[in-house]
Amino acid sequence: MLNTIPIPIPARRVSVPRPSSPGCRRARWVARPAVAVVPRLRVSVRAVLDDWRVAPGRGELLLLAASELVTNAVCHAGAVTGRLSATLALGGGWLRFEVADGDPVLPDFGQGGDVEAEGGRGLMIVALLAAEAGGGLVAFPAGAGKVVGIRVPAV
């Protein structure tokens, strides 16, 4: 069973054994897409990563990704979705952080972007850092919306 936690409430740490990933741990948050959600979620994610004793380098990468992915969901999907959910998982030697929202438009990870633009590089930076760590950034349709996430080796 996966616990869903509203953002203003500190996340509870959950151990969820699943047949496909024995010993997998998960934490999930659900919130309305608002700018104030980003720092609250970051604090909650940090608390879970600390509780799970994730290596500091991996933890910082996940925190950066969490901030970027949630900020993007708020900025780009907030007008078309009433809620977003974020899931942090540790299992099978991997750390994952995913954000789901109700907007079906998939993000551009920075390929072919305007090099003179003031913004639009966050996902590209997160993708490069994830690749450097041996992982990657993904985006895929889910229901009426999408999921954008990062996956990196846990060690």
Side-chain angles (χ1 to χ4, degrees), residues 106-121:
L106 295 175
D108 175 2
F109 290 160
Q111 296 84 4
D114 180 1
V115 295
E116 300 298 321
E118 298 253 340
R121 292 182 190 85

Side-chain angles (χ1 to χ4, degrees), residues 1-2 15-26 91-92 96:
M1 176 176 194
L2 181 65
S15 292
V16 184
R18 291 175 25 158
S20 61
S21 52
C24 183
R25 297 169 134 186
R26 291 177 183 251
R96 286 190 347 260

Side-chain angles (χ1 to χ4, degrees), residues 133-149:
L137 196 60
V138 297
F140 54 89
K146 68 177 168 301
V147 173
V148 181

